[in-house]
Amino acid sequence: MNMGKTPEELLTIELCELNVQVLESMDDWVRVIDRNGRILFINKSMKTSCKTHDPNIACSFEEDIIMGDSVVPRSVSLITLLTRKTYNKEIIFMGKEYSVKSSPVIGEDGEVVAAVEVFRDISSEIHIRRELFNANKMMSDDIKFARSIQAQLLPEKGRVGDLDVDYYYQPSKQLSGDLFDIIKIDDDKVGIYICDVVGHGVGASMLTMFIKQTTRAIVTELGGASPSTTLYELRARFGEMNLAENLYFTMFYGVYSRKERSFSYSNAGHNCCPIVKLDDRYKVLEITGVPICDLFREMTYKEDKIRLEKGDKLIFYTDGFTESKNYDREEFGHERFTEAIMKPGDIIENVVGEVTKFSWGEVFDDMAIMVATLID
């Protein structure tokens, strides 16, 4: 059969036969179309599915192609033949979705002589893609709803008793683990706290809702109990939920007394102790205490007190500010934070502005800051 053929010609024939065998063995449909729009080759899978055995079918690059009992959607090869580039397109055919990829066949003269089209059934992939999209959309809608509820947990800005309250709140994700509140206990006392739940997202946000409701319930039931007693009771009620041991939160809680002009406070592991700005100086309310978690069964919380004067500012914040990083992975730190609060002007604007400039606007952690100013 191959008499008179040179070794090079025989090798070319063998390679062609090998390529045809590869194409015939593919589950994907394959067809080859020349520059004149003639179908030169159809593999076995496509012949069976389209019920045709005639590869010599003239076709239009602009119209659907009739093949046996089926109408195969228009060729995508025209773009490949004109541009010499691979082209990909998704189509719907016979109730299924296909990814059609057209690749150029280069002749000996360097010109495109034909295009190879591969039809891959991606119906299952598309179905999964749609299912994931719908699931993600549903989750996104749920998160938006949860975020709207979480936003309602924040206190109103403005006057509460003798204190004027302002704050800034920025979740690193759509939901936050930071929470703060100010509670009018009676005509004399106002409770203030800030807390930070471990982690982010839905789980952390759900725990902030527990903290909000439970803390207010304790304050109401115990009638303005001391900060240390309030934290102890909050720890007890948290333990009743029997959550995982690695789930915990920190809280700094204090009570301002109008009669005594004092602020009593206690700390449950909050590493960013509030700062009191006193005119041209400041004082950090440093006091230790363990986080509220299930690791420690019996515990007590220390308590301290400071006197306040008109114009003094209580500054509560979370570590999203001090641990913000620049491009060199250097943290903003406590020193820069205190420098920002001591600058002339609005404390919150100064802190947020300095941190944003330092970190180039990148938010790596939840950030919350609340300033309560004694106005009477």
Side-chain angles (χ1 to χ4, degrees):
M1 295 290 182
N2 295 321
M3 293 180 59
K5 301 290 185 182
T6 66
E8 291 77 9
E9 290 173 327
L10 290 173
L11 178 59
T12 300
I13 293 172
E14 290 174 359
L15 289 175
C16 289
E17 291 175 349
L18 177 60
N19 288 336
V20 170
Q21 291 176 11
V22 171
L23 296 179
E24 289 286 18
S25 65
M26 292 175 62
D27 291 330
D28 296 335
W29 297 355
V30 181
R31 67 183 179 185
V32 180
I33 302 177
D34 70 10
R35 288 183 295 187
N36 297 317
R38 293 187 62 82
I39 299 177
L40 305 178
F41 171 80
I42 305 171
N43 74 341
K44 181 178 179 181
S45 179
M46 191 170 194
K47 288 177 183 177
T48 302
S49 299
C50 296
K51 300 179 181 178
T52 183
H53 298 279
D54 183 7
N56 299 310
I57 301 173
C59 67
S60 166
F61 290 116
E62 302 298 329
E63 299 176 357
D64 294 340
I65 306 165
I66 299 175
M67 297 182 62
D69 297 335
S70 304
V71 178
V72 181
R74 67 187 60 176
S75 168
V76 299
S77 296
L78 178 59
I79 296 176
T80 295
L81 295 168
L82 292 175
T83 64
R84 302 169 58 93
K85 295 180 179 179
T86 298
Y87 179 66
N88 195 81
K89 178 181 179 181
E90 291 185 3
I91 65 171
I92 298 177
F93 175 56
M94 295 173 61
K96 294 185 178 181
E97 301 187 59
Y98 292 87
S99 171
V100 186
K101 187 173 185 179
S102 175
S103 303
V105 178
I106 309 299
E108 293 181 356
D109 58 359
E111 296 296 323
V112 178
V113 297
V116 178
E117 287 183 345
V118 179
F119 292 69
R120 172 158 293 177
D121 185 350
I122 58 170
S123 300
S124 296
E125 297 173 24
I126 294 294
H127 176 73
I128 293 173
R129 191 189 306 172
R130 288 186 182 129
E131 289 291 315
L132 287 174
F133 174 82
N134 291 333
N136 287 334
K137 185 179 184 305
M138 185 179 298
M139 184 181 298
S140 177
D141 291 343
D142 288 344
I143 289 176
K144 288 179 182 178
F145 177 69
R147 185 172 186 175
S148 68
I149 293 178
Q150 192 173 39
Q152 299 301 314
L153 300 180
L154 300 177
E156 291 185 5
K157 296 181 180 181
R159 183 162 180 167
V160 181
D162 286 353
L163 301 174
D164 183 68
V165 179
D166 194 11
Y167 58 79
Y168 173 85
Y169 173 76
Q170 175 62 59
S172 62
K173 299 183 179 180
Q174 288 183 313
L175 295 172
S176 173
D178 288 356
L179 177 68
F180 48 88
D181 200 6
I182 182 163
I183 309 166
K184 185 175 181 179
I185 300 171
D186 52 37
D187 291 338
D188 174 41
K189 295 179 180 178
V190 173
I192 311 173
Y193 71 81
I194 190 163
C195 73
D196 190 353
V197 178
V198 63
H200 311 282
V202 176
S205 70
M206 292 294 290
L207 189 50
T208 62
M209 296 178 191
F210 160 82
I211 295 168
K212 166 88 172 188
Q213 299 303 321
T214 305
T215 303
R216 282 186 169 260
I218 292 171
V219 169
T220 300
E221 293 169 16
L222 301 185
S226 67
S228 58
T229 300
T230 301
L231 289 180
Y232 183 85
E233 182 64 22
L234 181 60
R235 159 65 188 83
R237 298 191 187 188
F238 174 78
E240 291 172 359
M241 295 196 299
N242 295 316
L243 299 177
E245 291 185 347
N246 62 347
L247 187 63
Y248 65 91
F249 64 93
T250 66
M251 176 184 280
F252 192 104
Y253 177 72
V255 176
Y256 171 71
S257 170
R258 181 180 187 180
K259 293 178 181 178
E260 298 180 2
R261 302 282 265 186
S262 66
F263 182 67
S264 303
Y265 54 91
S266 188
N267 190 7
H270 195 68
N271 63 344
C272 295
C273 292
I275 298 171
V276 181
K277 184 179 180 182
L278 313 158
D279 292 327
D280 59 349
R281 58 192 178 88
Y282 70 87
K283 175 180 175 60
V284 180
L285 303 182
E286 293 186 277
I287 187 169
T288 59
V290 297
I292 294 177
C293 62
D294 244 4
L295 290 176
F296 308 100
R297 296 296 175 182
E298 296 295 331
M299 66 183 71
T300 57
Y301 290 101
K302 299 177 183 178
E303 193 170 310
D304 207 343
K305 180 185 293 188
I306 184 174
R307 287 191 58 81
L308 299 176
E309 301 295 337
K310 183 177 179 179
D312 291 347
K313 298 178 184 294
L314 287 164
I315 304 164
F316 297 77
Y317 64 101
T318 57
D319 57 14
F321 288 101
T322 55
E323 294 182 2
S324 290
K325 296 180 176 64
N326 60 16
Y327 282 154
D328 295 325
R329 310 305 295 169
E330 179 186 9
E331 291 189 351
F332 187 72
H334 185 265
E335 184 176 347
R336 290 188 180 91
F337 184 85
T338 53
E339 288 175 358
I341 68 172
M342 295 305 295
K343 288 176 58 178
D346 185 84
I347 290 176
I348 294 177
E349 289 182 2
N350 289 341
V351 169
V352 173
E354 290 297 322
V355 170
T356 300
K357 183 168 60 176
F358 180 81
S359 64
W360 293 79
E362 291 287 339
V363 179
F364 297 99
D365 195 2
D366 302 328
M367 295 193 296
I369 180 171
M370 177 174 59
V371 178
T373 305
L374 183 58
I375 56 178
D376 282 333

